Amino acid sequence: MKFYGKKSSAWSKMALSAGLAFAVASSTLPAYAEEAISARLSPATVSAGISSIVAEIDGQPAQWGSSVYTYRSLTYVPVREGAVSLGAKVKWDKAQRAAIVTLNGDELLYRPDSTTVSVNGYELQMPGTTRYVDGILTVPLRGLTEPLRAKVSPVTSGGVLNLSLKTDTETNYDTGLSAVNDYLKDQNYSGSVLIAKDGEALMRKSYGLSSGSTLIRPTDQMRLGSLTKAFTAASILKLGEEGKLSIDDTLSQHIPDYPSGDEITLAMLLSHTSGIALNFKREEGIPLSETVEEIKQSPLKFAPGTDYMYSNSGFVLLAYIIEETSGMSYADFVQSQILDPLGMKHSGTATRQTKIPTGYEYDWQEGAWKSVDYYYFSPSGTGSLYSTLDDMLTWSQALSAGKVLSEETMERMYTVSPYKNYGFGWHVDGEGQNRVAFHSGGGDGYTTGIRRGLNDGTVIILLSNHGGLDTNAMTAEVEKLAFGEGSEKTAR
């Protein structure tokens, strides 16, 4: 599957309002409209086996009028009444002969005789075609509920089709953060974003496609990529607090036959200053011990402790040390010692069975985003975990509250090396109220980022199903747009 990265913006800045009917003069109806009108079925004969349709929204009767019908086994609703009943605003654009719907900063475009609806410029496939009936633009019900992120449960009983709809309760959007919303849409961002202050989510929102016919939801799980490294670092430091190892231990104390292992400390592995940096094989099913053996054969890039070079290899070695020290697999240790105690119920070690949105990579030759149709494997310790926005906020708050590590240990974790603004599993910048810890992650078909104000309670999280994004730059920009800069930092 592919979709094109350039997005139409002709309609995206229009002022929108609710309550406008979609009356279309019969003389201007396209040819297909006559067929649509003649095919319209009354509520008494909506479909074989169904005598009527009854709908409720959040427990209240749906105000859809008499324009609800079924056609080719699909339930159709009028765009205006349907969208307004789900909390949206609607406007008819005469120039485009299309309905523009807005909700929570999203902009939807419904065009006549179309099988797709444009959501912030992304084309979302609907189960049927938009149709004019008696001069009213109608749409398949799921072509309305999906882009508005509502939930629908259909039940047929005694010839009655009962529809129970729930409006979107997962999205949290304040127009005071419209600058962030505009920025992410301008970036063609696909994924989810969370902005929080002192543990309170100020914005929880999603953008883009999870598949051709579904949108990303703010509650979707996503591969974390190298955000996993913070969990690896915390695991090593936790074992250190328990007296089972020390960050000053040499690598030889844990892997006795490692070349030059007596010159390399665990602290060097944690800060990417060990000189170990091998682009090892990433093949599913290779035991961690075998990857360690492969890393052993690689020469050092520089004398240990004299420079910085980002190293996935170093964090593979740390994962192996966690396993050897704890007697548990890396996955079981992180799950039982960090994720479960913190109540991170939607986080864990990714497998082929982990339910996540389809990932996309940009094809520069075709100028389109193409779906990644293979499983991207990442070994333990480097990029093996998955999580959600809310769970990652829980993780950030737990660190800040000292629920994972002591204050003294965390200060050591945030102390950077002489060669790079990198501590243990975190980049760290700034001083005082402006001190931040941040990191990015990614793999084929996804990119992630987190930025935490260490002294001001701010948190920015991005979880994207597009590969190749600069999420460190993006989280910094989102922070600036949401809270301002420097001493002026405050929730807008």
Side-chain angles (χ1 to χ4, degrees), residues 185-197:
K185 288 196 292 186
D186 287 344
Q187 294 291 311
N188 297 350
Y189 179 67
S190 181
S192 53
V193 59
L194 185 139
I195 302 172
K197 170 77 172 176

Side-chain angles (χ1 to χ4, degrees), residues 30 32 92 96-99 110-115 129-132 137:
Y32 62 82
W92 177 252
Q96 299 187 79
R97 289 181 50 76
Y110 288 96
R111 296 158 297 227
D113 198 27
S114 176
T115 58
T129 304
T130 53
R131 309 174 69 239
Y132 276 115
L137 184 64

Side-chain angles (χ1 to χ4, degrees), residues 329-463:
S329 69
Y330 173 86
D332 287 345
F333 184 88
V334 173
Q335 193 73 47
S336 64
Q337 302 301 306
I338 297 178
L339 304 181
D340 288 346
L342 296 181
M344 296 174 65
K345 297 180 180 180
H346 304 287
S347 304
T349 296
T351 68
R352 286 181 177 271
Q353 287 69 47
T354 303
K355 185 178 179 181
I356 57 173
T358 299
Y360 295 88
E361 288 288 332
Y362 196 73
D363 186 318
W364 291 97
Q365 290 186 329
E366 294 194 24
W369 289 95
K370 285 189 163 183
S371 59
V372 176
D373 299 322
Y374 53 88
Y375 175 67
Y376 180 82
F377 174 74
S378 188
S380 295
T382 63
S384 52
L385 301 181
Y386 69 88
S387 192
T388 63
L389 290 177
D390 288 349
D391 273 9
M392 288 301 288
L393 178 59
T394 295
W395 164 240
S396 177
Q397 292 303 110
L399 285 172
S400 298
K403 294 181 179 180
V404 181
L405 301 167
S406 69
E407 184 175 346
E408 180 182 358
T409 299
M410 284 194 296
E411 185 53 40
R412 182 67 187 90
M413 181 171 69
Y414 298 134
T415 300
V416 301
S417 78
Y419 313 107
K420 184 74 174 180
N421 63 327
Y422 199 96
F424 295 163
W426 294 93
H427 294 277
V428 182
D429 268 342
E431 297 178 352
Q433 284 296 106
N434 299 319
R435 195 179 186 206
V436 294
F438 61 96
H439 214 289
S440 62
D444 293 356
Y446 63 95
T447 321
T448 59
I450 185 170
R451 188 174 183 89
R452 303 170 50 233
L454 296 181
N455 297 311
D456 66 7
T458 60
V459 181
I460 310 293
I461 301 166
L462 294 175
L463 303 178

